[in-house]
Amino acid sequence: GALVYQYPRRTICKSGTSMRMECQAVGFQATSVAWYRQSPQKTFELIALSTVNSAIKYEQNFTQEKFPISHPNLSFSSMTVLNAYLEDRGLYLCGARQVSGNTLYFGEGSRLIVV
Amino acid sequence: GDSVIQMQGQVTLSENDFLFINCTYSTTGYPTLFWYVQYSGEGPQLLLQVTTANNKGSSRGFEATYDKGTTSFHLQKTSVQEIDSAVYYCAMRAGGNYKPTFGKGTSLVVHP
């Protein structure tokens, strides 16, 4: 079956430092990867959509300068939160989609805590 | 633009009660509709999806019918159990847009 692993599950970082998170697709080829942030109120914000061999598309209010993403192959993507502050707290979710599919398969998320 | 509106807040039920969570969508495209479930401490899992209008999706006793006439995709379950306690998200992906639009989630709490 299609599985998505995210690492790390949880990070506590000091205000102004950075956190890198990874997303690994297992059992399928992740043509597209969508990075979301889930707020404490449980709502989803789409950060960016990354498709292999295409430009990464960032949503309004999110930039490459703040959330650089790498998607080098069909099984792996990473995203960094640069200069994290309190407003960057939340659960960062990676949703991966295979070539012929409609469905996003999500990982468990990487929780960012900023102190 | 595309949007998904679902009943927000918390639904509290007892075991064997009937569950109904409202979801409506808006799009100019041809949507695929999803329900995801997120258990505490985990990522969202696909519960069911429907691509074709007027079809019904079902999984683990949950059902949802893609009603094109009312642009709705309500989630139902005849008899909920305590293990169904989770947050449920209605989502939509329309046409060539590969990024699903999510509703704000409905928290279900089932008491034994």
Side-chain angles (χ1 to χ4, degrees):
Chain A
L3 293 173
V4 176
Y5 291 104
Q6 286 190 250
Y7 178 83
R9 291 293 305 274
R10 184 172 176 262
T11 299
I12 301 173
C13 69
K14 288 186 176 180
S15 182
T17 63
S18 300
M19 173 204 177
R20 181 174 181 267
M21 57 196 78
E22 300 179 350
C23 175
Q24 182 86 35
V26 177
F28 70 105
Q29 294 183 322
T31 306
S32 298
V33 171
W35 286 94
Y36 288 85
R37 179 170 66 197
Q38 188 174 34
S39 69
Q41 293 74 34
K42 302 296 186 184
T43 57
F44 285 80
E45 293 179 279
L46 178 64
I47 297 170
L49 181 66
S50 171
T51 302
V52 173
N53 299 325
S54 296
I56 298 170
K57 296 180 182 177
Y58 285 84
E59 293 294 294
Q60 196 173 10
N61 300 326
F62 296 97
T63 65
Q64 182 181 5
E65 290 70 32
K66 173 72 175 179
F67 299 95
I69 290 170
S70 171
H71 190 180
N73 57 56
L74 291 172
S75 63
F76 182 82
S77 177
S78 67
M79 184 177 75
T80 302
V81 180
L82 295 174
N83 301 317
Y85 289 98
L86 288 176
E87 59 265 27
D88 297 317
R89 292 173 302 174
L91 182 67
Y92 288 83
L93 292 163
C94 161
R97 184 184 70 88
Q98 55 188 331
V99 175
S100 58
N102 279 314
T103 307
L104 281 185
Y105 294 99
F106 285 93
E108 301 282 358
S110 292
R111 184 169 299 281
L112 174 60
I113 299 168
V114 182
V115 297
Chain B
D2 297 340
S3 67
V4 173
I5 299 173
Q6 72 176 98
M7 182 171 72
Q8 284 182 258
Q10 183 169 297
V11 174
T12 303
L13 297 172
S14 298
E15 280 198 328
N16 301 315
D17 280 352
F18 173 74
L19 170 69
F20 181 91
I21 301 178
N22 185 293
C23 173
T24 57
Y25 64 90
S26 175
T27 181
T28 56
Y30 297 93
T32 295
L33 300 167
F34 308 86
W35 277 98
Y36 281 85
V37 57
Q38 186 175 25
Y39 300 100
S40 179
E42 299 182 11
Q45 302 173 20
L46 178 69
L47 180 60
L48 53 88
Q49 70 177 72
V50 177
T51 302
T52 306
N54 301 322
N55 277 11
K56 181 169 68 177
S58 61
S59 173
R60 307 183 223 170
F62 292 90
E63 294 182 341
T65 299
Y66 173 170
D67 189 327
K68 190 177 178 182
T70 59
T71 61
S72 67
F73 194 54
H74 309 314
L75 183 69
Q76 303 181 67
K77 186 173 185 179
T78 304
S79 177
V80 293
Q81 303 301 308
E82 191 177 2
I83 57 169
D84 295 326
S85 297
V87 181
Y88 291 80
Y89 293 92
C90 186
M92 171 184 71
R93 178 205 154 193
N97 182 349
Y98 293 119
K99 48 179 184 179
T101 301
F102 283 84
K104 294 188 183 298
T106 303
S107 176
L108 171 65
V109 176
V110 181
H111 293 298

